[in-house]
Amino acid sequence: HVQLVESGGGSALAGGSVRLSCAATSRRTRMAWFRQAPGKEREGVASILTSSGSTYYADSMKGRFTISRDNAKNMVYLQMDSLEPEDTTMYYCAAGQAFGSWRSLGAYGAWGQGTQVTVS
């Protein structure tokens, strides 16, 4: 069972940047970042296939966020640029197999505890 630990959250000014990191105890085919605001559904931010490096993004994050991975370290990153106050929420790392839609919560068997990002 893979375990995930996120880090790198914090506060930033609008227009600024934050880099999130996710450390995994083992490698999975697909890694992703989701976010969830209080009272709202968890939504996909970006996903990456760890073998090919293929990436997928939610439309609102394209051009602002970049997901990447370091397979040697079992790490996944989310570089968040041009931050907006609407990006304020908890961000979660997820690991799973590459089947179904990357946006589907059911495609991921492991989740991190989350890290808070606050943009003002």
Side-chain angles (χ1 to χ4, degrees), residues 12-20 35 60-67 78-84 87 91 117 119:
L13 296 176
S17 299
V18 169
R19 188 191 194 210
L20 305 182
R35 68 185 188 182
S60 61
M61 287 72 166
K62 286 181 181 177
R64 298 194 302 124
F65 294 2
T66 303
I67 188 171
L78 184 68
Q79 178 68 39
M80 306 166 63
D81 299 319
S82 301
L83 285 166
E84 303 168 352
D87 296 319
Y91 287 76
V117 173
V119 183

Side-chain angles (χ1 to χ4, degrees), residues 56-110:
Y56 308 86
Y57 295 92
D59 288 343
S60 61
M61 287 72 166
K62 286 181 181 177
R64 298 194 302 124
F65 294 2
T66 303
I67 188 171
S68 61
R69 92 295 191 201
D70 183 334
N71 288 341
K73 298 179 180 179
N74 286 333
M75 296 288 296
V76 175
Y77 308 98
L78 184 68
Q79 178 68 39
M80 306 166 63
D81 299 319
S82 301
L83 285 166
E84 303 168 352
E86 292 74 20
D87 296 319
T88 296
T89 189
M90 286 288 288
Y91 287 76
Y92 298 89
C93 180
Q97 303 303 321
F99 67 89
S101 170
W102 71 267
R103 291 183 176 86
S104 173
L105 302 181
Y108 303 93

